[in-house]
Amino acid sequence: MDMSAGERKGLSLFALIMIGIGSIFGSGWLFGAGSAAQVAGPAALVAWVIGVVFIGLIAMSYAEVGSAYPIPGGMARYGHLSHGPVLGFLTGWAVWIATASLVPIESIAATQYMTSWSFDWAKGLVDPATHQLTLSGTLMALALTLALWLTCFWSVQLLARANTVLTLVKFAIPVLAVVALVGSGFHPSNFTAHGGFAPYGWPAVLTAVTTCGVVFAFNGFQAVVNLGGAAKNPGRAIPIALVGALALGLVIYLALQAAYLGSVPPELLARSGGWQGVNLNSPFADLAGLLMLHWVVTMLQFGAFISPAGSNIANVASAAYMVTNLAETGFFPRKLAAVHPRYGTARPAMWLNLGFSVVLLLTVGRSWQALAGVVSAAMVISYLIGPIAVGVLRKTRPELPRPFRLPAAGVLCPVTFAFAACALYWSKWPETGKITMLTLVAVPIAAVVLWRRGERRLLRQFAPAWWMVAFLLWTALVSALGGEEFGGHGLLPGELGTALIAITAPAFYFWAVRSGVRAHQHGLTGDPSLDSATATPPTASDDDHRMASV
């Protein structure tokens, strides 16, 4: 959603937490529990804890950079600030893909939940054998995407004002669903039957983190980062809002997961041959229908529209911000950054994102589960620059005012990067290969754009970005050779593959930081429009504070 500087000035802590909660509760809660249970069994509970720890580390690194550069869609700009235009475009490209992909996936979620309706035409939206959208289901998802896009295209300001109400409704529905499912009959034996607590092993738990919507669900932290710099006392508001939103989100997601695991009828679990056989089109609605909780089914059908629609208010605006930022750096046509004089929206950027949404729906968007894995992998790549930007800017811009400073950054930043690298590996082959190639498409595009600008020293421009290219190719290679439980060819056991990624990740991190420092020394970095707006002369107290923080 768009908010002018005046509207964002003095944003309260409560409003910031509500923004975070509203973004976290999109379609993730509608499908995440069912998908994670199918992959990891009862151990899916552990996947949510791992996921929130990972996202929490990422969020805190972005909180420092975001509070220093509080600009809409700033995640698409931080690579430019730390390493220069080429890496800025690569990371901005990845952020744009991840953010723009959120728009169609919410429409797919609403479409899949329509199959719980009693109408015959609704039953035909998803193929019962493959659990993928049929032709009519794809057309419905396209119609919902277009309808939401048009709503934001004409009246995003009106919807933005309703954000708090939508958030409260989105929060109440899953809570009521948990109470109703547990109250209808809870089966503790489900947590140990059919293979025990972790029937498919712990690698399956790690896979669930990135392929079953766990990372996808907590991605809403970006809203807090993007708007937190305009809050009252950002240094206090940003970390509290992040911790508050993520902690509350974890509690609800754990409750939803436990309720789902305990409410599945034991006879259905036995008939399906274990958790992998329990594959419901609309997990909570179908489960409530089996338990004869008709009012819960109706409530969930309503929530299947409210939750995705509410989240997509921010998604449509955020995706437009990403395009605008890439256009302002010159790698996308500058016409895409044009803002409508009356409505204040970047309409050319919105048209581009609508086209991208349609392409996704017609290619890989055959189901929420299929698209969630690709989107989550793209999100992980978009997270990589956060801890690295902290490390680079701490060395090159120590005078930059930082309302929030990440504690123990020297340790947490490389650890966070290593965690992100492992999460990308857990995304499973061939998804890791697909998203790597999709990201690296930006390399030749960057070369062409720079050449057309008259830049002839391309090797100099690309020097700060080679670490990213090497890292993505290395991770894809290990993923392809890794254990079969992670989709690889089995030449490397899954645990060895994870260990190999974790051990080598710090080397890539320090290579990236060193590249960023050299890029600053060679004058390749910076964004004058942002630097002039954020940098102020340091005071003596600032110097004392920095020395005390080292």
Side-chain angles (χ1 to χ4, degrees):
M1 69 192 69
D2 195 11
M3 299 176 71
S4 66
E7 289 173 325
R8 289 186 281 118
K9 185 178 181 180
L11 193 67
S12 69
L13 176 59
F14 175 76
L16 199 59
I17 293 176
M18 292 297 287
I19 288 171
I21 290 293
S23 298
I24 287 173
F25 284 100
S27 63
W29 77 268
L30 294 168
F31 291 94
S35 182
Q38 190 178 11
V39 170
L45 291 165
V46 180
W48 290 101
V49 177
I50 295 174
V52 81
V53 170
F54 166 53
I55 293 297
L57 290 171
I58 293 292
M60 288 301 175
S61 64
Y62 271 112
E64 175 170 326
V65 184
S67 64
Y69 290 99
I71 55 174
M75 288 182 67
R77 205 78 159 255
Y78 300 146
H80 188 103
L81 293 167
S82 63
H83 287 76
V86 175
L87 186 71
F89 180 54
L90 262 66
T91 56
W93 175 270
V95 173
W96 170 62
I97 290 173
T99 306
S101 300
L102 297 176
V103 178
I105 199 173
E106 302 291 359
S107 298
I108 292 173
T111 301
Q112 285 189 228
Y113 257 75
M114 285 184 183
T115 59
S116 63
W117 293 6
S118 57
F119 304 107
D120 290 337
W121 63 266
K123 302 292 184 184
L125 296 176
V126 175
D127 187 328
T130 63
H131 298 280
Q132 294 186 343
L133 296 181
T134 60
L135 176 60
S136 60
T138 300
L139 293 175
M140 177 60 71
L142 284 170
L144 291 176
T145 299
L146 181 60
L148 178 70
W149 181 86
L150 284 173
T151 303
C152 295
F153 189 78
W154 293 108
S155 58
V156 68
Q157 294 292 340
L158 175 63
L159 290 176
R161 296 188 185 100
N163 180 66
T164 299
V165 175
L166 286 173
T167 299
L168 291 174
V169 173
K170 288 161 57 179
F171 178 75
I173 290 175
V175 171
L176 290 173
V178 168
V179 173
L181 289 174
V182 173
S184 68
F186 194 77
H187 309 286
S189 61
N190 286 358
F191 291 84
T192 54
H194 301 281
F197 182 73
Y200 311 116
W202 292 105
V205 177
L206 301 178
T207 295
V209 173
T210 51
T211 64
C212 296
V214 176
V215 168
F216 171 83
F218 289 119
N219 186 61
F221 82 88
Q222 293 187 32
V224 176
V225 174
N226 285 333
L227 293 177
K232 301 173 183 176
N233 189 3
R236 174 177 178 272
I238 290 176
I240 292 178
L242 285 172
V243 171
L246 290 174
L248 188 56
L250 175 62
V251 170
I252 300 303
Y253 276 116
L254 284 177
L256 285 164
Q257 186 69 70
Y260 180 86
L261 291 167
S263 299
V264 171
E267 58 272 18
L268 172 61
L269 192 58
R271 188 168 60 250
S272 302
W275 290 104
Q276 285 186 343
V278 181
N279 191 359
L280 304 176
N281 290 329
S282 310
F284 282 105
D286 290 348
L287 184 57
L290 290 174
L291 299 175
M292 305 300 289
L293 298 172
H294 300 298
W295 70 272
V296 176
V297 173
T298 302
M299 179 185 68
L300 289 169
Q301 290 169 345
F302 175 71
F305 279 95
I306 291 296
S307 294
S311 293
N312 254 352
I313 294 171
N315 294 337
V316 171
S318 295
Y321 284 143
M322 301 307 171
V323 173
T324 299
N325 275 291
L326 290 172
E328 288 177 349
T329 59
F331 285 97
F332 274 12
R334 293 192 180 276
K335 291 182 179 180
L336 293 176
V339 176
H340 194 279
R342 179 178 177 183
Y343 295 103
T345 55
R347 289 192 167 183
M350 293 179 70
W351 278 109
L352 175 63
N353 292 328
L354 177 63
F356 182 70
S357 298
V358 171
V359 170
L360 282 180
L361 278 169
L362 296 178
T363 54
V364 297
R366 307 304 298 173
S367 70
W368 185 92
Q369 291 82 356
L371 191 53
V374 177
V375 173
S376 296
M379 287 176 178
V380 172
I381 292 179
S382 72
Y383 296 156
L384 294 173
I385 196 60
I388 291 172
V390 172
V392 172
L393 295 176
R394 285 281 185 98
K395 294 177 178 293
T396 59
R397 294 296 306 275
E399 81 288 351
L400 187 69
R402 293 171 170 82
F404 170 72
R405 292 178 66 88
L406 179 68
V411 174
L412 287 182
C413 284
V415 168
T416 302
F417 182 85
F419 207 152
C422 290
L424 183 58
Y425 174 74
W426 299 336
S427 297
K428 300 180 67 173
W429 180 266
E431 277 70 18
T432 50
K434 292 177 182 178
I435 201 63
T436 293
M437 292 299 102
L438 188 58
T439 303
L440 294 182
V441 165
V443 173
I445 296 176
V448 171
V449 171
L450 290 173
W451 186 267
R452 293 185 63 182
R453 285 185 191 175
E455 178 60 58
R456 296 297 180 262
R457 295 180 295 177
L458 292 182
L459 291 179
R460 179 174 180 268
Q461 292 288 337
F462 273 82
W466 289 130
W467 70 267
M468 172 67 94
V469 176
F471 168 76
L472 291 177
L473 292 176
W474 166 249
T475 305
L477 175 63
V478 176
S479 179
L481 300 177
E484 294 179 358
E485 62 269 43
F486 291 114
H489 293 86
L491 299 179
L492 293 173
E495 293 79 2
L496 179 59
T498 297
L500 193 58
I501 293 294
I503 292 172
T504 56
F508 283 104
Y509 170 82
F510 289 111
W511 178 9
V513 171
R514 185 180 180 185
S515 296
V517 172
R518 287 186 173 182
H520 278 263
Q521 293 172 346
H522 295 154
L524 298 177
T525 63
D527 190 322
S529 64
L530 300 181
D531 291 340
S532 61
T534 57
T536 58
T539 63
S541 59
D542 290 333
D543 291 333
D544 293 341
H545 178 69
R546 286 195 300 273
M547 291 301 294
S549 302
V550 174

